[in-house]
Protein backbone atom coordinates (compact mmCIF):
# COMPACT_ATOMS: atom_id res chain seq x y z
CA UNK A 1 0.00 0.00 0.00
CA UNK A 2 1.54 3.30 1.14
CA UNK A 3 0.18 5.28 -1.76
CA UNK A 4 -0.76 8.91 -1.69
CA UNK A 5 -3.50 10.67 -3.57
CA UNK A 6 -3.48 11.18 -7.32
CA UNK A 7 -4.63 14.63 -8.27
CA UNK A 8 -6.98 15.29 -11.16
CA UNK A 9 -8.81 18.32 -12.45
CA UNK A 10 -11.99 18.95 -14.39
CA UNK A 11 -14.92 16.67 -15.02
CA UNK A 12 -12.87 13.90 -16.60
CA UNK A 13 -10.40 14.10 -13.73
CA UNK A 14 -13.26 13.80 -11.28
CA UNK A 15 -14.40 10.56 -12.84
CA UNK A 16 -10.86 9.17 -12.87
CA UNK A 17 -10.29 10.15 -9.26
CA UNK A 18 -13.61 8.56 -8.35
CA UNK A 19 -12.48 5.28 -9.87
CA UNK A 20 -9.09 5.46 -8.15
CA UNK A 21 -10.60 6.27 -4.78
CA UNK A 22 -13.29 3.67 -4.46
CA UNK A 23 -12.98 0.83 -6.96
CA UNK A 24 -11.12 -1.25 -4.38
CA UNK A 25 -14.28 -1.87 -2.41
CA UNK A 26 -16.12 -3.12 -5.49
CA UNK A 27 -13.47 -5.50 -6.82
CA UNK A 28 -14.30 -9.21 -6.67
CA UNK A 29 -17.08 -8.93 -4.07
CA UNK A 30 -20.86 -9.08 -4.18
CA UNK A 31 -22.82 -6.03 -3.09
CA UNK A 32 -25.55 -8.20 -1.65
CA UNK A 33 -23.10 -10.20 0.47
CA UNK A 34 -19.97 -8.18 1.26
CA UNK A 35 -16.92 -10.29 2.05
CA UNK A 36 -15.76 -7.80 4.67
CA UNK A 37 -17.08 -5.35 7.23
CA UNK A 38 -17.35 -1.86 5.76
CA UNK A 39 -17.83 1.28 7.83
CA UNK A 40 -18.29 4.80 6.46
CA UNK A 41 -18.56 8.27 7.96
CA UNK A 42 -20.18 10.78 5.62
CA UNK A 43 -20.35 14.52 6.38
CA UNK A 44 -21.94 17.22 4.24
CA UNK A 45 -21.86 20.85 5.40
CA UNK A 46 -23.98 23.42 3.57
CA UNK A 47 -25.66 25.78 6.06
CA UNK A 48 -22.62 27.82 7.09
CA UNK A 49 -23.28 30.65 9.50
CA UNK A 50 -20.27 32.86 8.71
CA UNK A 51 -18.52 31.12 5.82
CA UNK A 52 -21.17 31.47 3.13
CA UNK A 53 -23.78 28.78 2.52
CA UNK A 54 -23.19 26.11 -0.12
CA UNK A 55 -25.95 24.53 -2.17
CA UNK A 56 -24.69 21.02 -2.81
CA UNK A 57 -22.71 19.42 0.07
CA UNK A 58 -25.81 18.40 2.01
CA UNK A 59 -27.26 16.69 -1.07
CA UNK A 60 -23.85 15.27 -2.00
CA UNK A 61 -23.51 13.62 1.41
CA UNK A 62 -26.99 12.11 1.24
CA UNK A 63 -26.30 10.74 -2.24
CA UNK A 64 -23.00 9.21 -1.14
CA UNK A 65 -24.56 7.71 1.98
CA UNK A 66 -27.21 6.04 -0.14
CA UNK A 67 -24.68 4.63 -2.62
CA UNK A 68 -22.34 3.42 0.10
CA UNK A 69 -25.18 1.59 1.86
CA UNK A 70 -25.91 -0.14 -1.43
CA UNK A 71 -22.23 -1.11 -1.58
CA UNK A 72 -22.47 -2.82 1.80
CA UNK A 73 -21.27 -0.08 4.13
CA UNK A 74 -22.69 0.72 7.53
CA UNK A 75 -22.98 4.50 7.20
CA UNK A 76 -23.06 7.31 9.73
CA UNK A 77 -24.38 10.47 8.04
CA UNK A 78 -23.92 13.98 9.42
CA UNK A 79 -25.47 17.01 7.74
CA UNK A 80 -24.57 20.61 8.68
CA UNK A 81 -22.35 19.51 11.54
CA UNK A 82 -20.73 21.90 13.99
CA UNK A 83 -17.20 21.38 15.29
CA UNK A 84 -18.23 19.37 18.33
CA UNK A 85 -20.37 17.03 16.24
CA UNK A 86 -17.57 16.50 13.70
CA UNK A 87 -15.00 15.71 16.39
CA UNK A 88 -17.39 13.41 18.23
CA UNK A 89 -18.14 11.57 14.98
CA UNK A 90 -14.40 11.25 14.29
CA UNK A 91 -13.82 9.62 17.69
CA UNK A 92 -16.79 7.26 17.32
CA UNK A 93 -15.71 6.37 13.78
CA UNK A 94 -12.24 5.43 15.01
CA UNK A 95 -13.67 3.27 17.78
CA UNK A 96 -15.96 1.48 15.36
CA UNK A 97 -13.08 0.77 13.01
CA UNK A 98 -10.88 -0.56 15.82
CA UNK A 99 -13.57 -2.85 17.20
CA UNK A 100 -14.55 -4.36 13.86
CA UNK A 101 -11.29 -4.38 11.83
CA UNK A 102 -13.40 -2.95 9.04
CA UNK A 103 -12.60 -1.32 5.75
CA UNK A 104 -13.05 2.38 6.57
CA UNK A 105 -14.26 5.19 4.33
CA UNK A 106 -14.55 8.88 5.20
CA UNK A 107 -16.35 11.25 2.82
CA UNK A 108 -16.55 15.00 3.36
CA UNK A 109 -18.26 17.69 1.31
CA UNK A 110 -18.20 21.34 2.34
CA UNK A 111 -15.71 24.12 2.88
CA UNK A 112 -12.07 23.16 3.33
CA UNK A 113 -8.93 25.26 3.50
CA UNK A 114 -5.18 25.04 3.91
CA UNK A 115 -2.81 26.95 6.17
CA UNK A 116 0.95 26.41 6.09
CA UNK A 117 0.53 23.27 4.02
CA UNK A 118 -2.00 21.67 6.40
CA UNK A 119 -5.64 20.99 5.52
CA UNK A 120 -8.68 21.77 7.64
CA UNK A 121 -12.37 20.89 7.31
CA UNK A 122 -14.74 23.71 8.20
CA UNK A 123 -17.74 23.11 10.52
CA UNK A 124 -20.89 25.13 9.92
CA UNK A 125 -20.34 27.20 13.08
CA UNK A 126 -16.75 28.24 12.28
CA UNK A 127 -16.10 31.99 12.57
CA UNK A 128 -12.49 32.69 11.65
CA UNK A 129 -11.22 36.26 12.02
CA UNK A 130 -7.54 35.44 11.50
CA UNK A 131 -5.64 32.47 10.09
CA UNK A 132 -4.16 31.82 13.55
CA UNK A 133 -7.69 30.82 14.64
CA UNK A 134 -8.05 28.05 12.06
CA UNK A 135 -6.83 25.30 14.38
CA UNK A 136 -9.34 26.36 17.02
CA UNK A 137 -12.38 26.80 14.77
CA UNK A 138 -12.03 23.86 12.36
CA UNK A 139 -11.23 20.14 12.32
CA UNK A 140 -7.81 19.02 11.11
CA UNK A 141 -7.74 16.55 8.23
CA UNK A 142 -4.55 15.15 9.76
CA UNK A 143 -6.55 14.20 12.87
CA UNK A 144 -9.01 12.24 10.73
CA UNK A 145 -6.16 10.44 8.96
CA UNK A 146 -4.46 9.66 12.27
CA UNK A 147 -7.71 8.33 13.73
CA UNK A 148 -8.15 5.97 10.79
CA UNK A 149 -4.50 4.92 10.83
CA UNK A 150 -4.67 4.01 14.53
CA UNK A 151 -7.58 1.69 13.78
CA UNK A 152 -5.18 -0.49 11.74
CA UNK A 153 -7.87 -1.31 9.19
CA UNK A 154 -6.84 -3.36 6.18
CA UNK A 155 -7.54 -0.34 4.03
CA UNK A 156 -8.83 3.21 4.57
CA UNK A 157 -10.30 5.51 1.94
CA UNK A 158 -10.77 9.27 2.28
CA UNK A 159 -12.76 11.26 -0.28
CA UNK A 160 -12.77 15.07 -0.06
CA UNK A 161 -15.11 17.22 -2.13
CA UNK A 162 -13.90 20.29 -0.26
CA UNK A 163 -11.64 22.20 -2.64
CA UNK A 164 -13.79 25.34 -2.85
CA UNK A 165 -12.79 28.95 -2.32
CA UNK A 166 -11.54 29.82 1.16
CA UNK A 167 -14.50 31.77 2.59
CA UNK A 168 -12.22 33.51 5.09
CA UNK A 169 -9.49 34.48 2.63
CA UNK A 170 -9.93 38.21 3.26
CA UNK A 171 -8.85 37.61 6.88
CA UNK A 172 -5.70 35.68 5.95
CA UNK A 173 -2.20 37.04 5.38
CA UNK A 174 -1.43 34.27 2.90
CA UNK A 175 -3.42 33.37 -0.19
CA UNK A 176 -3.55 29.58 -0.61
CA UNK A 177 -6.40 28.24 -2.69
CA UNK A 178 -7.88 24.76 -2.48
CA UNK A 179 -6.26 22.06 -0.40
CA UNK A 180 -2.62 21.07 0.05
CA UNK A 181 -1.16 17.78 -1.12
CA UNK A 182 -1.17 15.05 1.53
CA UNK A 183 1.07 12.03 1.91
CA UNK A 184 -1.39 9.50 3.27
CA UNK A 185 -0.42 6.86 5.85
CA UNK A 186 0.33 3.34 4.62
CA UNK A 187 -2.85 1.56 3.57
CA UNK A 188 -4.79 4.80 3.06
CA UNK A 189 -6.05 6.20 -0.24
CA UNK A 190 -6.99 9.88 -0.43
CA UNK A 191 -8.97 11.35 -3.32
CA UNK A 192 -9.62 15.05 -3.90
CA UNK A 193 -12.00 16.87 -6.23
CA UNK A 194 -9.16 18.66 -8.02
CA UNK A 195 -5.41 19.21 -8.07
CA UNK A 196 -3.41 20.78 -5.20
CA UNK A 197 -3.89 24.50 -4.79
CA UNK A 198 -6.82 24.51 -7.22
CA UNK A 199 -10.51 25.18 -6.66
CA UNK A 200 -13.34 22.83 -7.67
CA UNK A 201 -16.84 23.94 -8.62
CA UNK A 202 -19.79 23.42 -6.31
CA UNK A 203 -21.78 22.74 -9.47
CA UNK A 204 -24.90 24.22 -11.01
CA UNK A 205 -27.00 21.06 -10.60
CA UNK A 206 -28.19 19.21 -7.52
CA UNK A 207 -24.74 17.75 -6.89
CA UNK A 208 -21.14 18.79 -7.36
CA UNK A 209 -19.55 17.51 -10.61
CA UNK A 210 -17.07 15.41 -8.62
CA UNK A 211 -19.58 13.68 -6.36
CA UNK A 212 -22.00 13.15 -9.23
CA UNK A 213 -19.29 11.36 -11.22
CA UNK A 214 -18.20 9.41 -8.17
CA UNK A 215 -21.74 8.26 -7.39
CA UNK A 216 -22.21 7.09 -10.98
CA UNK A 217 -18.96 5.11 -10.83
CA UNK A 218 -19.32 3.70 -7.34
CA UNK A 219 -21.57 0.75 -8.09
CA UNK A 220 -19.64 -0.57 -11.10
CA UNK A 221 -18.19 -3.84 -9.85
CA UNK A 222 -15.10 -5.71 -10.89
CA UNK A 223 -12.75 -2.77 -11.45
CA UNK A 224 -9.35 -2.76 -9.64
CA UNK A 225 -8.31 0.31 -7.71
Amino acid sequence: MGRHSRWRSGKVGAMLAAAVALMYVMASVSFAQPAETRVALVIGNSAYQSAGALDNPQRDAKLMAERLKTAGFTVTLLVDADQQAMKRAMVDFGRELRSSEAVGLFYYAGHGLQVNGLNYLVPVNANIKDETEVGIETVSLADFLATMERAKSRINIVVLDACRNNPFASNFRTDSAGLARVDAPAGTYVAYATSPGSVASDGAGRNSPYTKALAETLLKAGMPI
Side-chain angles (χ1 to χ4, degrees), residues 33-224:
Q33 296 179 323
E36 61 210 354
T37 302
R38 302 170 181 174
V39 177
L41 172 61
V42 176
I43 300 177
N45 287 343
S46 286
Y48 285 95
Q49 300 164 16
S50 300
L54 296 170
D55 291 332
N56 287 331
Q58 182 182 123
R59 294 192 291 261
D60 291 339
K62 291 178 180 178
L63 175 61
M64 285 301 301
E66 175 188 320
R67 293 300 171 89
L68 289 170
K69 287 178 182 177
T70 303
F73 282 84
T74 299
V75 179
T76 297
L77 171 64
L78 270 69
V79 172
D80 293 334
D82 61 21
Q83 187 191 52
Q84 183 177 4
M86 289 179 67
K87 289 189 173 183
R88 180 75 261 170
M90 176 175 65
V91 171
D92 292 343
F93 183 47
R95 288 174 177 171
E96 191 170 7
L97 289 176
R98 289 196 300 274
S99 64
S100 62
E101 297 184 352
V103 168
L105 187 148
F106 171 53
Y107 170 91
Y108 173 80
H111 279 306
L113 52 87
Q114 63 165 302
V115 176
N116 297 324
L118 299 177
N119 295 317
Y120 299 88
L121 311 181
V122 183
V124 294
N125 63 333
N127 186 15
I128 301 171
K129 300 299 184 182
D130 185 272
E131 63 186 69
T132 60
E133 299 174 1
V134 169
I136 299 171
E137 293 284 329
T138 66
V139 180
S140 169
L141 174 60
D143 288 346
F144 265 104
L145 292 174
T147 296
M148 297 177 76
E149 182 182 22
R150 285 194 295 270
K152 300 187 183 302
S153 304
R154 186 160 58 88
I155 189 168
N156 290 314
I157 301 166
V158 177
V159 182
L160 300 170
D161 196 349
C163 307
R164 297 167 173 84
N165 283 322
N166 177 0
F168 306 104
S170 61
N171 299 330
F172 284 26
R173 294 188 301 272
T174 57
D175 182 18
S176 298
L179 296 177
R181 185 184 183 96
V182 170
D183 289 326
T188 300
Y189 291 83
V190 183
Y192 295 78
T194 189
S195 56
S198 298
V199 176
S201 171
D202 191 40
R206 286 188 54 81
N207 297 103
S208 78
Y210 180 79
T211 293
K212 181 180 178 181
L214 178 59
E216 291 172 352
T217 307
L218 178 60
L219 298 183
K220 295 179 180 179
M223 297 176 65

Side-chain angles (χ1 to χ4, degrees), residues 21-41:
L22 294 183
M23 282 308 99
Y24 171 85
V25 297
M26 273 66 75
S28 303
V29 298
S30 166
F31 292 120
Q33 296 179 323
E36 61 210 354
T37 302
R38 302 170 181 174
V39 177
L41 172 61

